[in-house]
DNA sequence: TACCAGGGGATTT
DNA sequence: AAATCCCATGGT
């Protein structure tokens, strides 16, 4: 199926933006996305290699995209996943001019979008993320999904390999997992954290659906009841799992940006409801610029 | 407020 | 090939 996209959209930048860890580049311009129990291949058509930067106000990467998703699954799952109801080109234009550094990060990262992902998947993934590099997180999540997830059966485009197609593990499957199995997934000292989180969800002590109805502060506090979830991980779950676009996770890269590029002043507060989106541009800029 | 925790992946030697 | 560094941190 063909999707016509009129806003910022870069599969490559999204894939490398450190918010999703189950996205892989395939052959022939295809990118494979796995989220919860779904997998989907997508590529840009009519693609002359896009330049790195962008003009403000002009959509970056707009055009026709081919997806293996059917119309219903696109509309119900992937369209909201890609946050398609938000106009990122307009946000870049509105936010321009408040910080030279953030302006440059927006120019560099044009095409990024903050994905709406599953809260459970985000909780586990960002518990795992602590003190790991992005490639290490990706391989741990892949191992966990292969060991505890279910095979996903979809048709792959020509040249794309049918490997590693597993759903994200359910809370039940992780709650009943053994330490030995979890350790094989390179979770290290995080094994106990993941099992506790799974148990809390299975027992109902932590109701992730109920949390969706809470105010930011309450949501933020509730998440930190989970062992292994501090401020940074809680902020990631709020931003990526609950669509709280004003939340700003501060990791070593964002802290470095504040310290070394912004004279020690936090630039994010001035963006209000878009602060978390600016954070994502800055994270991408810090990790991908040469 | 220090210090430590698994280990993987990237970089340097 | 081996040493070294660094990592979307949190608990103690």
């Amino acid at each position: 199926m063909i999707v016509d996209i009129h806003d910022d959209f870069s599969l490559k930048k999204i894939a490398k933006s450190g918010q999703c860890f189950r996205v892989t580049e395939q052959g022939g311009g295809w990118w494979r996305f796995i989220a919860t129990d779904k997998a989907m291949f997508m590529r840009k058509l009519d693609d002359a290699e896009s330049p790195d930067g962008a003009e403000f106000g002009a959509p970056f990467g707009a055009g026709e995209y081919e997806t293996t998703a059917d119309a219903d699954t696109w509309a119900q799952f992937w369209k909201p996943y890609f946050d398609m109801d938000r106009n990122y080109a307009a946000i870049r234009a509105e936010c321009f001019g408040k910080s030279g550094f953030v302006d440059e990060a927006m120019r560099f990262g044009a095409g990024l979008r903050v994905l709406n992902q599953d809260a459970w998947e985000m909780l586990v993934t960002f518990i795992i993320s602590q003190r790991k590099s992005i490639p290490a997180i990706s391989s741990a999540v892949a191992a966990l999904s292969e060991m505890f997830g279910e095979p996903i059966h979809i048709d792959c485009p020509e040249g794309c390999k049918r490997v590693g197609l597993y759903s994200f593990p359910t809370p039940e499957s992780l709650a009943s997992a053994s330490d030995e199995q979890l350790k094989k997934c390179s979770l290290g000292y995080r094994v106990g954290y993941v099992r506790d989180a799974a148990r809390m969800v299975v027992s109902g002590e932590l109701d992730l659906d109920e949390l969706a109805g809470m105010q930011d502060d309450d949501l933020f506090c509730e998440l930190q009841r989970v062992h292994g979830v501090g401020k940074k991980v809680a902020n990631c779950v709020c931003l990526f799992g609950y669509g709280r676009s004003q939340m700003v996770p501060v990791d070593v890269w964002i802290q470095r940006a504040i310290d070394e590029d912004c004279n020690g002043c936090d630039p994010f507060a001035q963006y209000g409801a878009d602060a978390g989106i600016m954070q994502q541009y800055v994270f991408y800029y810090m990790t991908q610029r040469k």
Side-chain angles (χ1 to χ4, degrees), chain A residues 27-28 30 43 156-160:
Chain A
W30 289 101
R43 67 173 171 182
C156 300
E158 194 71 29
C160 296

Side-chain angles (χ1 to χ4, degrees), chain A residues 4-8 59 62-63 84 89:
Chain A
D4 203 1
I5 291 174
H6 303 282
D7 190 22
D8 289 352
M84 294 310 294

